[in-house]
Amino acid sequence: MRIVIVGGVAGGMSCAARARRLDESAEIVVLERGAHVSFANCGLPYFVGGEITDERALLVQTPESLRSALALDVRPRNDVIAVDADARTVTVRTDDGLEQISYDALVLSPGASAFVPPIPGVDSPRVRTLRSVEDAIALRDKVTGGARRAVVLGAGFIGVEAAEALAAQGLEVSVVELAPQPLPPVEPELAWLVSEELRALGIDLHVGVAATAIQHGPDADTVVLADGSELAADLIVMSVGVRPDTAVFEEAGVACERGAMIVDSHGRTSIPGIWAVGDATLSVDPITGTRRPVALAGPANRAGRLVADDIVRPGTAREIPQPVGTAIVRVGSLTAALTGANRATLDASGVTYRTLHLHANQHAGYFPGASQIHLIVHVAPGTGRILGAQAVGTEGVDKRIDVLATAIRSGLTVDELIDLDLAYSPPYGQAKDAVNLTGMVGENVLNGTLDLWYAQDLDEVLDTALVLDVRRRDEWVTGHLPGALHIPHTELRERIDEVRERAEGRPVRVMCASGVRSAIAHRLLAQSGMDSASLSGGMLTLRATLGARAAHMLATEAVVQGG
Amino acid sequence: MRIVIVGGVAGGMSCAARARRLDESAEIVVLERGAHVSFANCGLPYFVGGEITDERALLVQTPESLRSALALDVRPRNDVIAVDADARTVTVRTDDGLEQISYDALVLSPGASAFVPPIPGVDSPRVRTLRSVEDAIALRDKVTGGARRAVVLGAGFIGVEAAEALAAQGLEVSVVELAPQPLPPVEPELAWLVSEELRALGIDLHVGVAATAIQHGPDADTVVLADGSELAADLIVMSVGVRPDTAVFEEAGVACERGAMIVDSHGRTSIPGIWAVGDATLSVDPITGTRRPVALAGPANRAGRLVADDIVRPGTAREIPQPVGTAIVRVGSLTAALTGANRATLDASGVTYRTLHLHANQHAGYFPGASQIHLIVHVAPGTGRILGAQAVGTEGVDKRIDVLATAIRSGLTVDELIDLDLAYSPPYGQAKDAVNLTGMVGENVLNGTLDLWYAQDLDEVLDTALVLDVRRRDEWVTGHLPGALHIPHTELRERIDEVRERAEGRPVRVMCASGVRSAIAHRLLAQSGMDSASLSGGMLTLRATLGARAAHMLATEAVVQGG
């Protein structure tokens, strides 16, 4: 049997290696358009930034190592330009001309290429993408060759990594993002923390604005933005998104949707004998049921492995799991990570949800180095199912997101998070870990023990309710909502009549710094019969939601009469 | 309603706080024998070691803070000396004499006290335990007061933490452990790494030996061991175990088993109106079904919270989850952690299992700072259920154990670990995370794609099989098994006839450094019809299993004819 695999990175290479381990007799040919196979895609920004110094470190495997270890026939610079599904052949362009290769099984893992938007001047030689080892080397050469000013177009995960890498090399870096924030899949109240961190890294951030032209100059290009700004650039990194590399296969008859290949739960395309995996395929979102491409290495590797099973051991392979979609990025001293669905995805799919905000220490507060993880979890109100989670912080973010990704994959409900036996010792966690606390808050919300209000509804709350701020006086004076009543939570039992008087029949909307004390106060008010709710995430989430508005919105003691 | 809670740490305090949040009208009295409530039990060794400098940091709450925030009536130095279950009263010894307090609901959270074995001389004033803030202050006073030599009796989690803390303060520290290794619940091949780390910290380790006497001297005590060793000590820390503090309650009629209180799934004892939580209760091991006490803060807190639910909202509380038992300890630059059952527990319960050993990088190998996590996972051969996991390494151990603890709690099978969408970016993990790899190895083992052999069966293997070492020559020369055939895995396809000849009909037992290359070689041999198996965990696990024997067992190129 001859298995031909198109694409020698991630999914394709996982498929090839697994096929060999299962079948010593198969002929396995890997055709890779680029110069390298099995390279460290995700490591490219760190090579540009200088943390990875030797480009050889990016080459995880070579054709030679794959031949000697696994008897794979790996052919770089082999570009598949046509597929004849009836004849079961592919046509390949090589340095030596065209070649026809027949196959018994064909696995398509072409990946996605960087999308280059059709803006005037985008053909400048100063414009680069960051998808290949060659790209990374070219960028690094520009950096060491004296580039001083870089503009990164697109502040997705790779754009943010590229911007930080270039800043780390001493360049003046501007980032331009069409969405109103960096890392568009991240909820705005967490993305605000990322914006602040990028600014702290000295990166000039332009959000909510498009680049409209790139003007070529003798010494530098100028990136022109829709708001009229002009950014001089010795170097422009294009990272606005990717497009599946499927034209050849769609032409051959492989069914696609918006350019991505449609596959069944075993990775089979619409054509018998042809499988597909990775960034160029569609997969079903297990949370919303919608189909979308997922450009992540993990799901690609898994699919490649299971396609090999399906080819070599037909009828016995497990189904390819529906990817939950977990992603993580380092931004300066912060980590931002997410798993499952976000608000936008849930809203678009009509899934109802409640959102929980927590700010919990990554380890015992009394142990040196404690720092907060800012955590958002969306849960289904009826079932308690966990729909998605996001976190930003300096330490322990990856752990909590991985635990929550595991919980989502396992179908745990939010109250079951209380029961997770997470490893506790002061350097590693808290006896009630952030994930356990999420479960407690979620259980309280779903069974009506806790009512929440949200920072995004602030304007309505200010119009219709009494805001009760239960923080200490030293917290209150640093900034509070106009018109709020201030009673520290420790005095609330004695002063509860003041609340009733000031409320004058309006609902009471309680807040503190993070949501812990306001939840206690809420219980007290609710038990004495008041319409009360606690601000989800407290002042920390409120400030991040207000973003730049916070400075104008929040009064300090000097200018406003408080409690 | 008056709720009386005996014990103001962990489970007791969680119960009190939850009861208040649910019921503003209840009278809640917390009786604590010691001087402090809600103190940072797990932080005590770090106070002794100087990482936590201010003793106030250990006092998470005070009676005053609990009164003002939650209207709790918290009474330190209140020792419950009798319970009259018929009259629903407890008798309390206070500084002012005896007092009777009636209750509607009584919650027992007395915890466990340090076991002091009856060895001669154990009444020396130089002997201390490490269970209370007073203990920690006393130890620190001795350290700052000029103690130079410490002996720690018992190398469990607290013993190891105490030993490291004292060594960090510059003392000469000896540790004496009856079991043949430190951290007895940890599998020996991982505990060996901990032993080496303790030695690297300059700690003098005596394992497999009992202390038989403590001789009092004018300037120092002498700890005498069963092997005749004598250890001079200015300070002796007793950490050989704990005993539930239940005598008073057993006397009152609460049903106990080996001194620990028996409770149902709502924390109810055998006596109506009396609940119990924490270290002094028995809970069911969800893996083996056996009942045992679990001395961990997390399960105690959870139980306390759910007991409050059961008292305040009878009939609606969720059942208290059966604790999986997850624990973690920092030892020098290492972290050791475990969750679920270990070999000893499984053997004692007659549960059959297969063991997987992995050595996987905590993050991408090409990213700076990559280091190995040494991972052991036990799985049920029939169902693939994950029974237990342990890990040792310098980074990322807590994350993998938390993910595996979540998987165990969720009832995932080992092959489902492949499908976990764990956050990947080079600083945080690998595209195939250690946990995903565990799933792949487990699936292969359970469906017969991979046969394993174990280092603990080495003697039998050397007698009956051909050992085939497929490492590179530069690895081979640094130490290999006597009589092994050496063929690097990249040459195995061409030299497979050599294996058949040398095997002379014997099984072939393959090995490499960590088990990856030997698994590939195994597939090659198995597909060519040989009885083959791959060494679980490779040379890394073999060395750790042999421990001190390794130096004698393993030949180097100079003395043995290899391949």
Side-chain angles (χ1 to χ4, degrees), chain A residues 21 24 409 421 493 523, chain B residues 21 24 409 421 493:
Chain A
R21 290 194 298 269
E24 190 56 34
R409 167 69 66 203
D421 295 280
R493 270 184 194 79
R523 289 299 305 157
Chain B
R21 290 194 298 268
E24 191 56 33
R409 168 67 68 203
D421 294 282
R493 271 185 193 78

Side-chain angles (χ1 to χ4, degrees), chain B residues 237-526:
Chain B
V237 179
M238 188 62 70
S239 55
V240 298
V242 295
R243 292 289 177 277
D245 236 346
T246 54
V248 166
F249 313 112
E250 193 162 9
E251 196 161 310
V254 174
C256 292
E257 192 177 285
R258 282 167 290 136
M261 293 182 281
I262 297 171
V263 292
D264 71 6
S265 60
H266 291 289
R268 300 171 192 147
T269 69
S270 58
I271 300 180
I274 305 184
W275 287 255
V277 300
D279 298 5
T281 65
L282 292 170
S283 50
V284 176
D285 180 339
I287 307 294
T288 63
T290 54
R291 280 202 295 209
R292 83 294 193 220
V294 170
L296 291 168
N301 288 334
R302 266 192 284 286
R305 186 171 184 275
L306 288 168
V307 161
D309 285 5
D310 197 46
I311 292 170
V312 177
R313 297 173 168 176
T316 67
R318 285 193 309 124
E319 296 197 346
I320 297 170
Q322 298 176 350
V324 168
T326 306
I328 191 164
V329 61
R330 195 190 67 184
V331 187
S333 64
L334 290 183
T335 299
L338 55 95
T339 184
N342 62 9
R343 275 194 201 105
T345 314
L346 294 169
D347 288 341
S349 309
V351 178
T352 57
Y353 57 95
R354 299 299 304 276
T355 300
L356 315 175
H357 296 84
L358 282 95
H359 310 277
N361 282 337
Q362 99 283 25
H363 68 223
Y366 58 79
F367 191 80
S371 68
Q372 279 185 323
I373 297 172
H374 308 283
L375 183 62
I376 291 181
V377 179
H378 303 297
V379 299
T383 59
R385 186 180 173 205
I386 307 160
L387 303 170
Q390 305 196 348
V392 170
T394 54
E395 222 182 84
V397 164
D398 55 334
K399 177 162 76 172
R400 274 59 180 207
I401 288 299
D402 277 0
V403 168
L404 288 164
T406 304
I408 291 174
R409 168 67 68 203
S410 307
L412 290 194
T413 54
V414 69
D415 56 334
E416 291 177 305
L417 296 180
I418 305 172
D419 300 348
L420 295 181
D421 294 282
L422 303 173
Y424 166 56
S425 160
Y428 303 98
Q430 301 199 81
K432 291 170 188 160
D433 188 83
V435 173
N436 299 133
L437 292 172
T438 300
M440 294 181 197
V441 175
E443 184 184 63
N444 285 335
V445 167
L446 296 189
N447 71 18
T449 303
L450 177 60
D451 289 310
L452 294 177
W453 68 282
Y454 291 102
Q456 68 212 53
D457 302 325
L458 178 62
D459 293 336
E460 194 196 325
V461 164
L462 290 178
D463 282 348
T464 60
L466 171 68
V467 172
L468 171 65
D469 190 326
V470 298
R471 293 177 297 161
R472 295 188 314 272
R473 179 151 190 89
D474 61 304
E475 297 171 276
W476 161 265
V477 297
T478 63
H480 52 259
L481 287 171
L485 172 63
H486 176 231
I487 301 180
H489 83 300
T490 52
E491 301 172 16
L492 188 57
R493 271 185 193 78
E494 291 79 56
R495 297 175 61 185
I496 194 160
D497 288 342
E498 283 180 53
V499 180
R500 210 181 295 272
E501 278 163 33
R502 277 284 291 271
E504 295 176 325
R506 288 175 298 167
V508 181
R509 294 296 172 256
V510 196
M511 65 174 293
C512 65
S514 70
V516 174
R517 288 170 288 175
S518 61
I520 295 174
H522 160 74
R523 289 300 306 158
L524 208 170
L525 298 173

Side-chain angles (χ1 to χ4, degrees), chain A residues 385-408:
Chain A
R385 184 180 173 204
I386 306 159
L387 303 171
Q390 305 196 348
V392 170
T394 54
E395 221 182 84
V397 164
D398 55 333
K399 178 163 77 172
R400 275 58 180 207
I401 289 298
D402 276 359
V403 168
L404 289 164
T406 304
I408 290 175

Side-chain angles (χ1 to χ4, degrees), chain B residues 539-560:
Chain B
M539 181 57 102
L540 283 164
T541 296
L542 182 71
R543 278 189 188 275
T545 303
L546 291 173
R549 277 179 73 201
H552 308 290
M553 277 298 287
L554 299 177
T556 55
E557 193 63 353
V559 292
V560 164

